[in-house]
Amino acid sequence: MRLSNSVRWFALAASVLASGELAAQSGATLTGRVTDDSGAAVSGAQVVVSHQTTGNTTGALSQADGRYLIAGIRAGGPYRVEVRSIGYGPAVMADITFEAGQTRTLDFTVSQEAIAIDAIEVFASRAQEGRTPVAYTDVPKVQIQNQLGSRDLPMVLNVTPSVYSTQQGGGAGDARINVRGFSQRNTAVMINGVPVNDMENGWVYWSNWDGLGDAATSIQLQRGLSAVNLATPSIGGTLNVITDPSANRAGFSYKQEFGSGSFLKETFVGHTGEMDGFALTASVVRKTADGQYQGIGGSDATWTDAWAYYMASSYQINARNRLELYAVGAPQRHGQNLYKLNLGTLDQEFARSLDGYDPAALAKFPEAGRTWSPNVNVVSPDYNQTQYASSGPGAGTFDRFSRSFLNERENYFHKPQVNLNWYSYFGDGLTLSTVAYYSGGAGGGTGTLGSSRNAEFDYRFTQRVPDWNGTIAKNRARADGSSGYILRNSVNNQWTIGAISKLRKDFSRGWTTEVGLDWRTASVDHYRDVRDLLGGQFFVDNNNEFTGPRNATFGDRIDYNNTNDINWLGTYLQAERSTQSGSFFGMFGWAQNEYDYTDHFKRGDDGNKLNVNSGKLNGFQVKGGVVRNLTQEWSLFGNAGYVSKVPIFDGVIDDRNGVRNPDPQNEKFASFETGLSYRAMSRGVSFDVNLYHTTWRDRTNNLFVRNLTGEGQDGLVNLLGVDARHMGVEAQGAFQPNDLVRFDVAASVGNWKYLDDVTGTYKPDDRDAETQTFNFYIKDLKVADAPQTQFAYAVSLFPVEGFYFRAQGKTFASHYAEFDPFSRTGTDDRGVQSWQAPGYTVFDLHAAYRLGDILPAAGDLRLFANVYNLLDEIYVQDAVDNSRFNGFDGDHDADDAEVFLGIPRSFNLGFEVRF
């Protein structure tokens, strides 16, 4: 039995509908029908035809009546035909041959009498065509390989409706993703069905998953409430990454990539093949980019020094029990560009072209260059002080990355994740799927610490840039040997353990029930320590109430030192019925969260370490949906749900001041959507269109702000009763008139806005200070930070066998700059929208050529190339309105925004060879 290639086959078959990445072939045709043991049709089954010698693969999905059609199979053989369907075991026919022009008919029956090899698909709650009532998009492995090109994983989703991903300042792993106007905090990210969002605040740091694009077999993005059941539900959507299970043929592959900025990447993958039910796949990735600092207008020094690893093993104990073990991680360091700048600083010609940019602002913001960053500056090579990190990759004492420059902002982290999955089939339709998982995490980010009076700065282009040489000289001149200004590490050390278990029972007549348990616990240490003393011998820290002022050096914790503990417990019950005519489901879930905070530097009322506990906080979700297969080609779906979600850690406990929110409110989401799908019998035309409407009540929105009262006290603002409405229409479609060309389109138009003005409480950075109340005027302001209108369009060409070419365009509009609600305290700003960034269009090119298809002597060799931002368009990809750092006159227009411009034209090319 071949056990390990199921997800890859699913991806290849689905790509006939979703991506158009398979090269065209001409020749024979295979048709037939897929049914289950009762004779009922099985829709959405993956029928995969693979050549038993060359490994070339093509496929299709079965229709609502179970029928499938695969055209263009090259004459000859032998071929292996295999059928996979979620929840069923495989059906296989081998040693099949075809003649040119021949049409063969093969019918298959799939059984539930064994644990399905596609169990990971079931566990991950993957949506299925004609069965799952949600809006979703599949991105198969072949599309990831052909389009991602070593960028952060979310960038391959930018052609998906209502999805906006950017690389922000350009640092490796610093990307972000926004779905339907919701940030990553409300978009669940899962790897093989296991959530990876930060348990404190829901964020995802893509640098932690740097090798995931190489390991991923497919990505499925379910937009909206989704069909996934978690202790804390997603709202914007659920991004589920399925990694390669163990391969079915022994061998290994090597991939070499080259890119802009002296980028180099090597990937090694090895497979044992199946050995008496056991198989193993392992990969190692090495990635570097030098980021050489070149001064004014030069590189931003976003260098990269990264590794990544991946392992997947499986063991089929018997027909009814299967074990899988996964491990993935990416120890890395990279330079960061974290500060957005005024448009005049980055490109004055572009700034002049924009309505609302006052020419007078150009004098205040001299041009530095499109890629310039204030987060890096030169340092004398004679300065040979080592640096230090207490945890993370390369922990201990080490030399800085470059002798000639020094990064103010650097990220270093390693977050491994290990999953042990057990699938067991007890017979009579009863299946238990359980995963136990561990995720570690060690590392942090760098910055400066100390009094600015003790530092020197270059005021380039009105930006404050650390003058490392001047500061080093100043520290060395201090009589007591102390450093008044240093580089510090902000450390985040953590561990998480959890278990998710799902018991599923299949009844007659298409009924299925499922009960699940989701338990997670995590502990996170936050502290700062000394990274670089910049010429001094120690740093005086005054923030530890237990020790008083002390002379700190490498290894000493400074500034703050606290531990956050998080406990989640969730359960759900779901019922579903699925037939040839459609399906419906309903579910109820309950979750309980508890947060605990311990400050190791501050005393509580009892004289011991300050401790704050949230108590047990309860939330719930209820949702359901229905799919109606109107004909073999048309399907209609609808879903609705209500979620009461416990706030994130920061919404309950302020871990800077050690204060508990006295009345944390659950966030409430009410959502519904409806959609229509069409799949032509020929599979040459497909499209989906859907409408969504989500109301977000009592949004948690806490933020540390500076000097809100004008009295010089920083503090925390907690907004109460923030309500927003996200609604819109989405569509995607594909048309393949013949074997040589395919067209793909996607579009989304949203209307996201805040519904009411709100009040907020301001707590100064002093536990004994009184709380103050303010009004914030945000009614009818657009929800910002992502374009509300998006279009994507592509043409794919397959001129000869083995060659693939895709030209792709993306257009974005109605992009409102992110704004600080806490700045909207004056009635003069009431109803004034944040700055609307100019719309833009970018084009990308992707090409790949598998030489072995034409030149057998070349073996299994693939060449590939990608060009991003082909026309080198200058555009605003991220923006903040009325910047207090880089604004000009404060009237919410172009000269008051600070931005990240889009990444200039870049390329990625290389080769891959398989043995």
Side-chain angles (χ1 to χ4, degrees), residues 777-794:
Y777 302 104
I778 62 173
K779 182 179 180 180
D780 294 330
L781 297 187
K782 296 288 188 178
V783 174
D785 209 24
Q788 301 198 18
T789 300
Q790 303 176 214
F791 299 96
Y793 30 90

Side-chain angles (χ1 to χ4, degrees), residues 194-442:
V194 175
V196 299
N197 297 71
D198 178 80
M199 280 189 65
E200 287 180 296
N201 297 306
W203 204 250
V204 179
Y205 299 92
W206 293 101
S207 55
N208 296 332
W209 315 107
D210 207 21
L212 200 56
D214 301 285
T217 297
S218 65
I219 304 170
Q220 185 177 88
L221 177 65
Q222 298 181 27
R223 300 185 293 277
L225 296 184
S226 79
V228 176
N229 303 293
L230 297 171
T232 296
S234 62
I235 306 301
T238 301
L239 177 63
N240 204 336
V241 182
I242 299 296
T243 61
D244 271 326
S246 306
N248 68 327
R249 288 196 304 168
F252 68 93
S253 66
Y254 169 74
K255 182 166 65 173
Q256 176 67 65
E257 296 176 70
F258 308 87
S260 303
S262 302
F263 175 88
L264 292 173
K265 181 179 177 182
E266 297 174 291
T267 304
F268 297 86
V269 183
H271 316 287
T272 65
E274 182 195 348
M275 301 180 299
D276 296 325
F278 174 80
L280 173 70
T281 292
S283 68
V284 177
V285 179
R286 176 64 169 143
K287 185 172 78 171
T288 61
D290 63 19
Q292 182 63 44
Y293 182 73
Q294 299 171 358
I296 297 173
S299 170
D300 57 16
T302 50
W303 49 269
T304 303
D305 183 4
W307 292 84
Y309 58 87
Y310 166 75
M311 185 275 292
S313 63
S314 64
Y315 180 55
Q316 193 80 20
I317 302 171
N318 52 46
R320 294 191 172 190
N321 289 275
R322 176 180 174 85
L323 290 175
E324 294 176 345
L325 179 66
Y326 297 90
V328 62
Q332 57 81 36
R333 295 174 56 195
H334 72 274
Q336 295 183 290
N337 174 19
L338 292 186
Y339 298 163
K340 299 180 181 72
L341 299 172
N342 189 279
L343 282 161
T345 304
L346 297 172
D347 191 305
Q348 292 206 347
E349 182 179 354
F350 179 63
R352 282 191 202 94
S353 70
L354 300 180
D355 293 337
Y357 195 96
D358 190 334
L362 298 176
K364 180 179 178 180
F365 300 104
E367 184 172 283
R370 183 175 174 183
T371 62
W372 183 74
S373 167
N375 291 152
V376 63
N377 204 351
V378 294
V379 68
S380 172
D382 295 335
Y383 178 63
N384 58 8
Q385 175 66 58
T386 55
Q387 297 188 329
Y388 176 84
S390 59
S391 66
T397 301
F398 50 87
D399 292 329
R400 62 182 184 269
F401 178 79
S402 171
R403 300 286 296 175
S404 60
F405 65 84
L406 186 59
N407 289 81
E408 177 187 2
R409 294 291 188 172
E410 176 184 332
N411 177 272
Y412 61 100
F413 213 82
H414 179 206
K415 186 179 176 67
Q417 178 158 311
V418 180
N419 303 350
L420 177 62
N421 298 19
W422 171 42
Y423 310 108
S424 186
Y425 181 70
F426 300 108
D428 196 27
L430 187 63
T431 305
L432 178 66
S433 303
T434 302
V435 57
Y437 61 93
Y438 162 81
S439 178

